[in-house]
Amino acid sequence: MAENQQLAALVDACHWIGAKGWCPATGGNMSVRAGAGQCLVSESGKDKGALRERDFLPVDITTNRVLDPRTPSAETGLHTLIYRCLPAVGAILHTHSVNATVLSRVEPGASLLLSGYEMQKSLGGVASHLDQVTVPIFDNDQDIPALATRVAARHEIAPLRHGFLVRGHGLYCWGRDVLEARRHLEGLEFLFQCELQRRLLEAR
Amino acid sequence: MAENQQLAALVDACHWIGAKGWCPATGGNMSVRAGAGQCLVSESGKDKGALRERDFLPVDITTNRVLDPRTPSAETGLHTLIYRCLPAVGAILHTHSVNATVLSRVEPGASLLLSGYEMQKSLGGVASHLDQVTVPIFDNDQDIPALATRVAARHEIAPLRHGFLVRGHGLYCWGRDVLEARRHLEGLEFLFQCELQRRLLEAR
Amino acid sequence: MAENQQLAALVDACHWIGAKGWCPATGGNMSVRAGAGQCLVSESGKDKGALRERDFLPVDITTNRVLDPRTPSAETGLHTLIYRCLPAVGAILHTHSVNATVLSRVEPGASLLLSGYEMQKSLGGVASHLDQVTVPIFDNDQDIPALATRVAARHEIAPLRHGFLVRGHGLYCWGRDVLEARRHLEGLEFLFQCELQRRLLEAR
Amino acid sequence: MAENQQLAALVDACHWIGAKGWCPATGGNMSVRAGAGQCLVSESGKDKGALRERDFLPVDITTNRVLDPRTPSAETGLHTLIYRCLPAVGAILHTHSVNATVLSRVEPGASLLLSGYEMQKSLGGVASHLDQVTVPIFDNDQDIPALATRVAARHEIAPLRHGFLVRGHGLYCWGRDVLEARRHLEGLEFLFQCELQRRLLEAR
């Protein structure tokens, strides 16, 4: 079944993310869209590099209602928002890498603008290094509904595309399936590392 | 038995620390609290990535007396001090990472102050990126009793929380059990790496 | 058969490159020269760290005609150009490392000049750290025939030797066989990392 | 037999060095002291991460005569010099790390001076972070006998201790046996990485 295949692919992606060091100390959370208007979200407080299929909980995308006695990630409301805003999205990965954390702090603006990189083409719909890729940056907030409201408001003005950063916190990115979400994560993390190095060198 | 389980968990943590490169060249030392007012401290001079359960020696927490013919870590007096100061602590990890070594040298003050990082929440009792996390920094000393006296004096004024740095030397951190000590180590090392990168970039 | 051995060696090299992180997010492409004026080029869009022998497609070196229903890398025209310009070349590796991407952007000139490094001797025909190694840098272009024309024009004036950079994109390098191409890649990537670090430090 | 055990330990050390990335692209060379005034030196041009016991060739320490039809490392004359200068040395490791290469270039003086690091104590005979560790730096030379003469001349004035750097080239270090040489290598590489980071940060 496609849904089970996506969950298995997500568990594989979590192990790969753990090996990359992008979810230290139980940080991060992940999900896939499931049938019947639901998504499956990782349980709170687990080591993301050691997740198994049974560590994902069903959540209603419209109501945020958790259809399980366990507690999903505290940031579930951002996952359901993304599934509501972007009907084509099938999988969401939220990671806490050093590069995403630092770059979102040292960039004072409301967006990270990337251009001139061939690897921008790893992002769906980007065909040239001459395109400008805009990664929105939202100030961090422990009030997830308030943060979700700000994300939704910006999406109304400028639709979300591949992902966004939360300042000092990490990256949310996604794709139509786990494979594309994983390529977007790998491409964006590569671009963040390049951009940090470039800024250090060009500051000379 | 809980004590045996903690020792097994500590040996696992040592192998993970070795793979991370946080205890090069036999540096570092680790312990768990045991029954009867004792703790088990790693033997001196061993490769921390290859420790086995029999490489830990019983030491009396109150008297620092070593209950074994072998020699425990030269820094055993800091482990017993922490167990005396903080009765809830069950495990202590002392590592020598590049980031902890360098950050404790380039920060001239008596504390490293961290704020604005979501990952601060990996530390027990920290609920928001808006909190300020204070990691004390002590000047290094080859006289461990003298260093322990300075640590104890500061604890009287401002209680130790998750860990402290020794300048140019490394990090001591702990938790109520090995699992929490390991999460604190991973969280603090992540924050140190972010803070070093941030300082490099914001110096532009 | 020599050709099959080279393809097997190339598949090994691809796995090694994947483990190094030099081809993230399906970036990069590789080839070996085959018999009858052909080369075998990696299929488009595949994860380079997981390539198998059947993922390489025969292409005519003179005409760029693809002798297979599948689509080879979009940059096939650069591979065939190199095989036409340099008859001794038997294998080509094109990678997307962070260091190659960033260094080719921060260096504004048409070449990266390297000297003073012992490891320059890992490049065929370089006998001393006192030699100056010139790595051409070409501005990136989504029009591969146009880019190939610029590469060919420069080769007329100053023959290509071990490899060239495409700005913000990555490295092309090669050798008389896969073993030499792999040594050139490893040597050049080492030199790029040294050069980035040196520039950061000497900018103080 | 002790000699065989040392050779086996050296082969293990080579594999560990390969995994660390400290001998890329066939760089570096290693040896152990053997009986009858000989040492066993790694063969020229081999991948140091894949060496086997049979890849080491006997060389007479006094005369530099190679007792084998194969060709040992081009830098054999530095190995035999060290065995002549320091009779207690049993094993020598010469590596090409990025940090050793870059630090020896950005430090303009004839020595790298290290102090304030606890990890200095990983070096035999260093008891305190307050000690100053002097790592000599020699300008690189393709004429190995000439380089050896300069090393010997400096040793007459200030005896060699744990290792020395060759500028833009790499590190030679040693110990009374392979175990100590390996601890010195790991300790020095750690110190080089710290020192590079410290210099970047303190340049702000």
Side-chain angles (χ1 to χ4, degrees):
Chain A
M1 203 185 109
E3 183 185 320
N4 282 354
Q5 283 173 2
Q6 282 298 296
L7 187 55
L10 182 59
V11 167
D12 276 355
C14 288
H15 297 174
W16 170 76
I17 288 166
K20 290 279 189 188
W22 292 341
C23 278
T26 80
N29 38 74
M30 285 82 181
S31 70
V32 282
R33 192 187 290 270
Q38 298 173 12
C39 59
L40 298 166
V41 182
S42 51
E43 193 180 348
S44 180
K46 296 259 172 160
D47 172 4
K48 299 310 171 289
L51 287 178
R52 301 146 304 173
E53 296 196 13
R54 65 175 179 273
D55 297 321
F56 290 82
L57 283 59
V59 176
D60 187 279
I61 289 172
T62 307
T63 64
N64 283 339
R65 199 158 62 88
V66 184
L67 310 161
D68 192 283
R70 294 171 293 172
T71 305
S73 164
E75 297 174 31
T76 294
L78 287 170
H79 287 254
T80 54
L81 174 77
I82 295 163
Y83 288 121
R84 287 195 304 271
C85 288
L86 299 169
V89 166
I92 301 172
L93 304 173
H94 168 48
T95 48
H96 289 185
S97 74
V98 168
N99 291 328
T101 301
V102 173
L103 195 52
S104 62
R105 280 189 71 151
V106 298
E107 170 55 60
S111 298
L112 176 71
L113 302 180
L114 299 165
S115 67
Y117 294 109
E118 177 72 9
M119 282 289 285
Q120 297 171 200
K121 290 165 61 187
S122 64
L123 306 175
V126 179
S128 171
H129 63 288
L130 299 174
D131 290 0
Q132 186 174 272
V133 170
T134 300
V135 182
I137 308 178
F138 297 97
D139 287 336
N140 195 15
D141 202 324
Q142 298 304 321
D143 180 344
I144 296 300
L147 176 52
T149 299
R150 284 190 279 128
V151 173
R154 179 155 176 175
H155 176 65
E156 288 299 307
I157 297 162
L160 298 170
R161 289 195 67 192
H162 313 96
F164 59 79
L165 288 160
V166 184
R167 207 177 309 279
H169 180 153
L171 170 69
Y172 274 85
C173 70
W174 51 78
R176 61 179 178 271
D177 52 20
V178 171
L179 186 69
E180 192 182 65
R182 192 171 156 158
R183 200 184 73 230
H184 286 168
L185 172 59
E186 196 170 12
L188 286 166
E189 283 290 343
F190 177 89
L191 293 166
F192 295 163
Q193 195 179 348
C194 287
E195 189 64 12
L196 275 182
Q197 283 290 314
R198 190 187 66 75
R199 289 180 181 210
L200 276 175
L201 280 150
E202 297 200 337
R204 288 183 303 163
Chain B
M1 204 187 105
E3 184 184 319
N4 282 354
Q5 282 172 4
Q6 283 297 297
L7 187 55
L10 182 59
V11 167
D12 275 355
C14 288
H15 298 175
W16 170 75
I17 288 167
K20 290 279 188 188
W22 292 339
C23 277
T26 80
N29 38 73
M30 285 81 179
S31 70
V32 281
R33 193 187 288 271
Q38 299 174 12
C39 60
L40 298 166
V41 181
S42 52
E43 192 179 349
S44 180
K46 297 256 171 161
D47 173 2
K48 299 311 171 287
L51 286 179
R52 301 146 305 173
E53 296 196 14
R54 64 175 179 273
D55 297 321
F56 289 83
L57 283 59
V59 176
D60 187 278
I61 289 173
T62 307
T63 64
N64 282 339
R65 199 159 62 88
V66 184
L67 309 162
D68 193 284
R70 294 171 293 171
T71 304
S73 163
E75 297 174 32
T76 294
L78 287 170
H79 287 254
T80 54
L81 174 77
I82 295 163
Y83 289 121
R84 286 195 304 271
C85 289
L86 299 168
V89 166
I92 301 172
L93 304 173
H94 168 49
T95 49
H96 289 186
S97 74
V98 168
N99 290 329
T101 301
V102 173
L103 195 51
S104 62
R105 280 189 71 150
V106 298
E107 170 55 60
S111 299
L112 177 71
L113 303 179
L114 300 165
S115 67
Y117 293 109
E118 177 72 8
M119 281 289 286
Q120 297 170 201
K121 290 165 63 187
S122 64
L123 305 175
V126 180
S128 171
H129 63 289
L130 299 174
D131 291 0
Q132 186 176 72
V133 171
T134 300
V135 182
I137 308 178
F138 297 96
D139 286 336
N140 195 14
D141 202 324
Q142 297 305 320
D143 180 343
I144 296 300
L147 176 52
T149 299
R150 284 191 279 127
V151 173
R154 180 157 175 171
H155 176 63
E156 288 298 307
I157 297 161
L160 298 170
R161 290 195 67 192
H162 313 95
F164 59 80
L165 288 160
V166 184
R167 207 179 306 281
H169 180 154
L171 170 69
Y172 275 84
C173 70
W174 51 79
R176 61 179 179 272
D177 52 20
V178 171
L179 186 68
E180 192 183 64
R182 190 171 158 159
R183 200 185 73 231
H184 287 169
L185 172 59
E186 194 170 14
L188 286 166
E189 284 290 344
F190 177 90
L191 292 166
F192 296 163
Q193 196 179 347
C194 287
E195 189 64 13
L196 275 181
Q197 283 290 315
R198 190 188 65 76
R199 288 181 182 210
L200 276 174
L201 280 151
E202 296 199 337
R204 288 184 300 163
Chain C
M1 200 184 111
E3 182 184 323
N4 281 354
Q5 282 172 2
Q6 282 297 297
L7 188 54
L10 183 59
V11 166
D12 276 354
C14 289
H15 297 175
W16 170 77
I17 287 166
K20 290 279 189 189
W22 291 341
C23 278
T26 80
N29 38 75
M30 285 81 182
S31 70
V32 283
R33 192 186 288 271
Q38 298 173 12
C39 60
L40 298 166
V41 182
S42 52
E43 193 179 350
S44 180
K46 295 259 171 158
D47 172 3
K48 299 312 170 288
L51 286 179
R52 301 146 305 174
E53 296 195 14
R54 64 176 179 273
D55 297 322
F56 289 82
L57 283 59
V59 176
D60 188 278
I61 288 172
T62 307
T63 64
N64 282 340
R65 198 158 63 88
V66 184
L67 310 162
D68 192 283
R70 293 171 294 171
T71 305
S73 163
E75 296 174 31
T76 294
L78 287 170
H79 287 254
T80 55
L81 174 76
I82 294 163
Y83 289 121
R84 288 196 303 272
C85 289
L86 299 168
V89 166
I92 301 172
L93 304 174
H94 168 47
T95 48
H96 288 186
S97 74
V98 168
N99 290 328
T101 301
V102 173
L103 195 52
S104 63
R105 279 189 73 151
V106 298
E107 170 55 60
S111 298
L112 176 70
L113 302 180
L114 299 165
S115 66
Y117 294 109
E118 177 73 8
M119 282 288 286
Q120 296 171 199
K121 290 166 60 188
S122 64
L123 306 176
V126 179
S128 170
H129 64 287
L130 299 174
D131 291 0
Q132 186 175 71
V133 171
T134 300
V135 183
I137 308 178
F138 297 97
D139 287 336
N140 195 16
D141 201 322
Q142 297 304 319
D143 179 344
I144 295 300
L147 175 53
T149 300
R150 284 190 281 125
V151 173
R154 180 155 174 172
H155 175 66
E156 287 298 308
I157 298 160
L160 298 170
R161 290 195 67 192
H162 312 97
F164 59 79
L165 288 160
V166 184
R167 206 178 306 280
H169 180 154
L171 169 70
Y172 274 84
C173 69
W174 50 79
R176 61 181 179 271
D177 53 21
V178 172
L179 186 69
E180 191 181 65
R182 193 171 155 158
R183 200 185 70 229
H184 286 169
L185 172 58
E186 195 172 12
L188 286 166
E189 283 290 343
F190 177 89
L191 293 165
F192 296 163
Q193 196 179 347
C194 287
E195 189 64 10
L196 275 182
Q197 283 290 316
R198 190 187 67 74
R199 289 181 181 210
L200 275 175
L201 279 150
E202 297 199 338
R204 287 183 305 163
Chain D
M1 202 186 104
E3 183 183 321
N4 282 356
Q5 282 171 3
Q6 282 298 298
L7 188 55
L10 183 59
V11 166
D12 275 354
C14 288
H15 297 174
W16 171 76
I17 287 166
K20 289 279 188 188
W22 293 339
C23 278
T26 80
N29 39 74
M30 284 82 181
S31 70
V32 282
R33 193 187 289 271
Q38 298 173 13
C39 61
L40 298 166
V41 182
S42 52
E43 193 178 349
S44 181
K46 295 257 171 160
D47 172 2
K48 299 311 171 286
L51 287 179
R52 300 145 306 172
E53 296 194 15
R54 65 175 179 273
D55 297 322
F56 289 83
L57 284 57
V59 176
D60 187 278
I61 288 172
T62 308
T63 64
N64 280 340
R65 199 158 62 87
V66 184
L67 309 162
D68 194 284
R70 293 169 294 170
T71 304
S73 164
E75 297 174 32
T76 294
L78 287 171
H79 287 254
T80 54
L81 173 76
I82 295 163
Y83 288 121
R84 287 196 303 271
C85 289
L86 298 169
V89 166
I92 301 172
L93 304 173
H94 169 48
T95 49
H96 288 186
S97 73
V98 168
N99 290 328
T101 301
V102 173
L103 195 51
S104 62
R105 280 189 72 150
V106 298
E107 170 54 60
S111 299
L112 177 70
L113 303 180
L114 300 165
S115 67
Y117 293 109
E118 177 73 9
M119 282 288 286
Q120 297 170 199
K121 290 165 61 187
S122 64
L123 305 175
V126 180
S128 171
H129 64 288
L130 299 174
D131 290 0
Q132 187 174 271
V133 171
T134 300
V135 183
I137 307 177
F138 297 97
D139 286 336
N140 196 14
D141 202 324
Q142 297 305 318
D143 180 345
I144 295 299
L147 176 52
T149 299
R150 284 190 280 126
V151 173
R154 180 156 174 171
H155 175 64
E156 288 298 307
I157 297 161
L160 298 169
R161 290 195 68 192
H162 313 97
F164 59 79
L165 287 160
V166 185
R167 206 178 306 280
H169 180 155
L171 169 70
Y172 275 84
C173 69
W174 51 78
R176 61 179 179 269
D177 53 19
V178 172
L179 186 68
E180 192 183 63
R182 191 170 157 160
R183 200 186 71 231
H184 287 168
L185 172 59
E186 196 172 13
L188 286 166
E189 284 291 344
F190 177 89
L191 292 166
F192 296 162
Q193 196 179 346
C194 287
E195 189 64 12
L196 275 181
Q197 283 290 315
R198 191 187 65 76
R199 289 181 181 210
L200 277 174
L201 279 151
E202 295 199 337
R204 286 184 302 163

